[in-house]
């Protein structure tokens, strides 16, 4: 079963702003959080490539998490719709990266089943590519998200103000919780704990690196795999959805 082997209950977050820089945590709390976080990726066994589908409203820290996968040529490609502007361009870059045997981080809101299906479909075009959905910001209030949007600098599309409030409200209403019945291989509910987010990023990079060293499965070719539409309820019941702290 996937997930962390030591479970730390997710604490309710107050209405104060969540620090997305990670600078406010003292070393003892960082060590405790890292020690409490030991993820298991057993349900990804056999994968030679991954698509990490980031889910969450603006201001929840998706792009900060994705930055941990930058500057890893020939290993990971970060696909950011704020930069590329259209989903079509994101899909094109995702397919191109997979064809060169890289794994992909999809940095966009992906707030409902229809949005996530695009990436599940692309993964299903590959023989040994699995989908990990990371759901950000469910422990964060709209006020926290808006404050984070207002204080971030140089964002490509969304700044603070009335527009941000409207978009965050709209996406809150449209959000649908990820489900294994969509054809997802692993789901993690990511809290606002930055130390545990960093730990998760490092662990999954390490795990993927080990898979590549061992050669993963026999091939990462494009012969395809079972369509998400045929994902059985019995197999999805074997994968329990976990709540973890994350970046």
């Amino acid at each position: 079963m996937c997930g962390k082997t030591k479970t730390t209950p997710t604490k309710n977050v107050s209405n104060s702003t969540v620090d997305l820089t990670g600078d406010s945590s003292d070393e003892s709390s960082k060590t405790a959080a890292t020690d409490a976080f030991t993820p298991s990726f057993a349900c990804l066994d056999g994968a030679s490539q991954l698509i990490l589908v980031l889910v969450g409203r603006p201001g929840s820290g998706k792009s900060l998490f994705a930055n941990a996968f930058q500057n890893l040529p020939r290993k990971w490609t970060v696909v950011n719709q704020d930069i590329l502007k259209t989903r079509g361009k994101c899909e094109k870059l995702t397919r191109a990266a997979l064809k060169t045997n890289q794994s992909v981080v999809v940095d966009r809101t992906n707030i409902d089943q229809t949005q996530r299906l695009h990436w599940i479909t692309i993964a299903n075009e590959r023989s040994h590519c699995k989908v990990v959905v990371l759901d950000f910001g469910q422990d964060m209030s709209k006020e926290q998200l808006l404050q984070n949007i207002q204080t971030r600098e140089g964002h490509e599309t969304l700044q603070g103000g009335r527009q941000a409030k409207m978009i965050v409200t709209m996406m809150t209403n449209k959000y649908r919780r990820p489900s294994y019945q969509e054809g997802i291989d692993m789901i993690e509910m990511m809290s606002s704990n930055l130390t545990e987010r960093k730990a998760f990023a490092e662990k999954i990079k390490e795990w993927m690196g080990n898979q590549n060293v061992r050669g993963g499965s026999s091939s990462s070719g494009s012969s395809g795999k079972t369509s998400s539409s045929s994902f059985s309820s019995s197999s999805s019941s074997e994968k329990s959805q976990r709540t973890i702290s994350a970046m």
Side-chain angles (χ1 to χ4, degrees):
M1 183 178 71
C2 287
K4 62 177 185 176
T5 58
K6 294 169 70 177
T7 302
T8 302
T10 302
K11 296 181 179 179
N12 292 329
V13 180
S14 67
N15 287 331
S16 60
T17 303
V18 173
D19 177 12
L20 292 182
T21 66
D23 295 335
S24 61
S25 300
D26 60 41
E27 290 303 317
S28 60
S29 63
K30 288 180 180 180
T31 301
T34 303
D35 289 345
F37 182 76
T38 308
S40 170
F41 303 112
C43 58
L44 302 181
D45 283 352
S48 57
Q49 293 175 290
L50 298 177
I51 298 180
L52 305 188
V53 180
L54 310 191
V55 172
R57 298 164 292 174
S60 57
K62 300 183 303 298
S63 294
L64 184 61
F65 178 86
N67 286 343
F69 296 84
Q70 297 281 14
N71 303 317
L72 295 171
R74 298 182 299 278
K75 295 181 180 179
W76 292 88
T77 290
V78 176
V79 176
N80 184 313
Q81 185 159 323
D82 288 332
I83 296 174
L84 295 176
K85 305 304 181 185
T86 69
R87 191 192 74 237
K89 290 181 179 179
C90 291
E91 292 179 354
K92 183 177 181 180
L93 180 56
T94 297
R95 286 189 169 96
L98 293 175
K99 285 181 180 179
T100 59
N101 295 321
Q102 297 181 69
S103 292
V104 176
V105 180
V106 180
D107 182 7
R108 64 195 298 271
T109 56
N110 297 307
I111 56 174
D112 60 23
Q113 297 94 323
T114 300
Q115 292 296 313
R116 295 186 286 268
L117 180 60
H118 299 294
W119 317 109
I120 296 168
T121 299
I122 290 174
N124 286 341
E125 296 170 359
R126 310 288 295 176
S127 296
H128 305 289
C129 181
K130 295 195 176 185
V131 177
V132 178
V133 167
L134 307 178
D135 194 350
F136 290 78
Q138 294 310 307
D139 62 344
M140 300 168 70
S141 68
K142 287 193 291 184
E143 289 75 20
Q144 290 173 317
L145 297 172
L146 290 169
Q147 184 63 35
N148 290 334
I149 291 169
Q150 188 169 347
T151 56
R152 65 190 181 184
E153 297 180 359
H155 193 267
E156 294 81 2
T157 58
L158 186 62
Q159 302 299 325
R162 177 179 291 183
Q163 182 189 26
K165 184 176 182 179
M166 179 183 68
I167 291 176
V168 168
T169 299
M170 177 188 69
M171 291 193 176
T172 298
N173 294 334
K174 288 187 174 181
Y175 168 81
R176 296 294 180 270
R177 190 181 183 93
S179 166
Y180 283 112
Q181 293 183 349
E182 298 175 39
I184 300 165
D185 296 290
M186 179 177 176
I187 299 172
E188 297 292 348
M189 306 303 293
M190 313 291 275
S191 87
S192 52
N193 185 298
L194 290 177
T195 301
E196 293 195 4
R197 288 185 181 187
K198 182 178 180 180
F200 181 85
E202 293 306 314
K203 288 292 185 181
I204 201 164
K205 285 189 290 185
E206 179 184 6
W207 183 88
M208 194 70 253
N210 290 337
Q211 293 295 108
N212 291 337
V213 168
R214 293 196 298 267
S217 296
S218 58
S219 171
S220 59
S222 56
S223 61
K225 61 181 181 181
T226 304
S227 169
S228 61
S229 62
S230 63
F231 191 84
S232 68
S233 59
S234 59
S235 62
S236 64
S237 65
E238 294 174 359
K239 301 176 179 179
S240 60
Q241 186 164 333
R242 288 123 353 249
T243 300
I244 71 164
S245 294
M247 186 165 168

